[in-house]
């Protein structure tokens, strides 16, 4: 059963919508305006190509950009491009990433800058609605266009390569598999896109914001468990810093029903500096989301067909450009991962306090008897996950490459940045899950619970599914359950 419908119009796609389209049972449609823009660009680029060279249509590509395609070879030229560029390697990327790529590419074409035959929009929507995918290997892009992924998609569209089903096996019914006869002239126009990188980035920043929202709720539970002070969240402390003020206000709302006397005049950084560390991560995540959303709704092709500024159809122009380069996206994601590591380090620090009798009033490691290990292993798991966040935080933008006989002499590796961001968020959530397990267990052993409001709702949701035994036992299931709770807790974050 399809639960909702997402219409791609080339102007209003968000990271959240990309994520829903990639993960949920939704119907994908193309708006009339999007089809109109694509049709106008398609008509325009053919007229321009009759009067002057257009890269990839009437010329070779890369170092062959100055080589004109002879008219008698025109039909074979595009097919050679599709075949030669479909050369990715390694394991296939996750199905949700490929779906996100198809959504983004359809939306980009609907933005009206590619010049691709608008009929391909129907074929892309059909692929998404049928649940079929092109085979897309991990290795092949460096942030300057996802040529290998989209060449593979193009070969599926023209029938030279088989679509895959949900289980990564060949789609069983070839008779209903999407087909579209991409013309030779449209080959590069279809492939010249960063849709795979942007699709993966959209998934990553959506998950990042969810994890960061949940973190505020988990931190509030931990503060309650250690009887921490709420002074660090006073409005006066954060007057000059709007993002810090937002985090502090959420903490005050979450803790508004509590009247415990603080156990200390001043708490460790995990609580006292929480707004100062968490706010930059939230700001970085929002900047990354804004950056990705802006690009998925823009004409990011080379060459770009411009019908917007034309007085009439005959005045349309084609601009050779570098919009395929996702430097801004990669830098935004790099910054977000660095900030995420800082937030993860603070979560691990709070977890450390939850093992200490001086903070919880319980035995060491919240053990049920002397010399038992209790939650000792959670710290190891959290720091193991944090080490991966730290490893993934290395800026991908520090790399570069010189390709195609030196004419393509720069790369930002935004593709790798997007992949690293998704992996870093997954590792961060494991550490956060460990903190949640420890905070809920401490409150249970203390015989306490939040007094009301969204924090009580969060505790009740967690306590309803987390095992309540405190004798030494495997805690892997507890961590997995807590990880699944992250989206649930994120929705309980008080609105600003």
């Amino acid at each position: 059963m399809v639960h909702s419908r997402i219409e791609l119009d080339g102007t209003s796609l968000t990271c959240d919508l990309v994520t829903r389209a990639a993960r949920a049972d939704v119907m994908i449609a193309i708006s009339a305006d999007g089809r109109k823009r694509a049709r106008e660009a398609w008509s325009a680029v053919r007229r321009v190509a009759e009067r002057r060279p257009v890269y990839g249509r009437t010329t070779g590509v890369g170092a062959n950009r100055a080589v004109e395609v002879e008219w008698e070879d025109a039909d074979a030229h595009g097919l050679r491009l599709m075949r030669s560029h479909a050369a990715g390697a390694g394991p296939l990327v996750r199905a949700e990433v490929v779906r996100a790529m198809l959504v983004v590419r359809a939306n980009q074409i609907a933005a009206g800058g590619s010049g691709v035959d608008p009929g391909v929009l129907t074929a892309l929507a059909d692929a998404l609605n049928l649940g079929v995918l092109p085979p897309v290997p991990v290795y092949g892009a460096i942030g300057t266009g996802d040529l290998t992924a989209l060449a593979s998609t193009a070969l599926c569209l023209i029938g030279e390569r088989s679509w895959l089903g949900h289980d990564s096996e060949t789609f069983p019914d070839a008779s209903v598999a999407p087909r579209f006869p991409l013309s030779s002239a449209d080959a590069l126009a279809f492939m010249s896109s960063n849709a795979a990188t942007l699709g993966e980035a959209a998934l990553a920043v959506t998950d990042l914001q969810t994890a960061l929202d949940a973190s505020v709720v988990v931190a509030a539970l931990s503060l309650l468990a250690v009887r921490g002070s709420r002074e660090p969240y006073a409005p006066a402390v954060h007057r000059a810093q709007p993002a810090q003020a937002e985090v502090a206000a959420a903490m005050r709302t979450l803790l508004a029903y509590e009247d415990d006397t603080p156990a200390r005049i001043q708490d460790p950084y995990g609580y006292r500096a929480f707004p100062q560390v968490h706010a930059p991560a939230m700001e970085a995540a929002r900047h990354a989301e804004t950056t990705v959303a802006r690009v998925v709704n823009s004409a990011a092709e080379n060459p770009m067909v411009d019908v917007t500024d034309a007085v009439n159809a005959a005045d349309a122009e084609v601009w050779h450009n570098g919009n395929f380069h996702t430097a801004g996206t990669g830098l935004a994601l790099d910054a977000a991962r660095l900030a995420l590591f800082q937030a993860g380090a603070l979560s691990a620090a709070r977890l450390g306090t939850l093992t200490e009798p001086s903070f919880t009033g319980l035995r060491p490691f919240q053990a049920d008897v002397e010399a038992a290990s209790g939650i000792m292993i959670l710290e190891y798991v959290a720091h193991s996950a944090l080490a991966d966040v730290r490893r993934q935080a290395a800026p991908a933008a520090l790399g570069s490459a010189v390709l195609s006989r030196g004419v393509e002499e720069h790369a930002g590796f935004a593709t790798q940045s997007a992949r690293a961001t998704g992996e870093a968020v997954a590792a961060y959530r494991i550490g956060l899950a460990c903190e949640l397990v420890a905070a809920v267990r401490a409150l249970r052993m203390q015989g306490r619970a939040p007094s009301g409001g969204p924090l009580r709702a969060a505790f009740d949701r967690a306590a309803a599914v987390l095992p309540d035994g405190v004798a030494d036992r495997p805690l892997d299931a507890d961590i997995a359950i807590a990880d699944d709770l992250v989206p649930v807790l994120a929705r309980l974050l008080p609105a600003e």
Side-chain angles (χ1 to χ4, degrees), residues 95-470:
E96 64 179 25
V97 174
V98 183
R99 284 185 59 83
M101 175 192 75
L102 296 179
V103 170
V104 171
R105 190 65 191 121
N107 194 69
Q108 288 176 326
I109 293 171
S114 71
V116 175
D117 187 330
V120 78
L121 290 169
T122 298
L124 292 174
D126 286 347
L128 288 161
N129 294 331
L130 284 168
V132 299
L133 307 169
V136 177
V138 166
Y139 301 114
I142 56 175
T144 56
D146 298 314
L147 297 173
T148 59
L150 289 162
S152 181
T153 306
L155 292 181
C156 288
L157 287 169
I158 67 174
E160 280 207 4
R161 183 165 282 185
S162 296
W163 295 94
L164 303 180
H166 289 296
D167 55 1
S168 294
E169 297 294 332
T170 301
F171 186 61
D173 191 350
S175 65
V176 298
R179 291 283 182 263
F180 186 77
L182 272 174
S183 72
S184 178
D186 284 343
L188 180 70
F190 180 80
M191 296 188 300
S192 181
S193 161
N194 40 43
T197 296
L198 293 173
E200 189 160 12
L203 295 172
V205 297
T206 300
D207 291 344
L208 172 60
Q209 291 181 311
T210 296
L212 291 174
D213 285 351
S215 298
V216 182
V217 179
V218 175
L221 287 170
S222 295
L223 184 134
L224 185 63
V226 301
R227 295 179 172 84
S229 171
R230 294 190 287 280
E231 280 190 39
Y233 315 119
V237 177
H238 307 284
R239 284 192 185 121
Q241 300 289 342
Q244 285 181 206
E246 181 184 344
V247 175
M251 289 291 280
R252 290 196 306 273
T253 300
L254 288 165
L255 297 162
Y257 291 82
E258 314 308 323
D259 57 6
D260 289 345
T261 300
R264 292 158 295 280
I265 188 173
Q266 191 164 267
D267 291 310
Y269 285 179
Y271 304 99
R272 183 159 40 111
F274 178 64
Q276 289 79 2
V277 174
H278 203 72
M282 290 174 54
E283 287 184 304
R286 288 169 183 169
H287 173 62
E289 193 278 335
T290 299
T291 301
V292 174
R294 184 167 54 239
V295 183
V296 302
N297 291 296
S298 65
E301 295 86 9
N302 174 46
M304 185 192 79
V305 186
D306 179 20
V307 296
T308 303
D309 297 327
V311 176
N312 55 61
D315 294 329
E317 191 50 274
V318 170
W319 306 102
H320 295 93
N321 70 89
N323 268 354
F324 54 83
H325 199 304
T326 48
T329 299
L331 288 167
L333 294 171
D334 282 356
R337 292 196 309 284
L338 287 168
L340 180 66
F341 170 72
Q342 295 293 317
L346 217 59
S347 173
R350 292 190 299 272
L351 175 59
T353 66
L354 293 167
T355 68
E356 284 291 336
S358 60
F359 285 95
T360 65
L362 305 170
R363 291 188 177 90
F365 308 112
Q366 300 181 23
D368 63 330
V369 296
E370 295 294 336
S373 295
I375 63 168
M376 178 192 296
I377 202 63
L378 292 184
E379 284 193 283
Y380 289 81
V381 176
H383 280 276
S384 175
L386 183 62
D388 257 16
V389 179
R390 181 172 60 247
R391 177 174 61 85
Q392 299 293 355
L398 291 178
S400 193
V402 178
L403 307 171
S404 196
R405 301 176 63 192
V407 302
E408 297 172 359
E409 74 282 22
H410 187 270
F413 292 94
T415 306
Q416 286 66 33
S417 188
R419 189 171 305 131
T421 304
E423 293 173 359
V425 172
Y428 174 85
R429 281 180 50 156
I430 295 299
L432 187 65
C434 290
E435 182 187 354
L436 176 60
V437 170
V440 170
R441 175 167 164 149
L443 290 168
R444 280 170 159 172
M445 293 182 74
Q446 294 165 356
R448 302 166 62 223
S451 300
L455 193 62
R456 179 55 186 258
F459 176 83
D460 288 345
R461 294 294 295 269
V465 292
L466 285 171
D468 57 5
V470 294

Side-chain angles (χ1 to χ4, degrees), residues 18 23 64 67 92 111 118 143 208 254 299 377 398 467:
V18 172
R23 293 175 175 166
N64 293 327
V67 180
L92 299 182
L208 172 60
L254 288 165
I377 202 63
L398 291 178

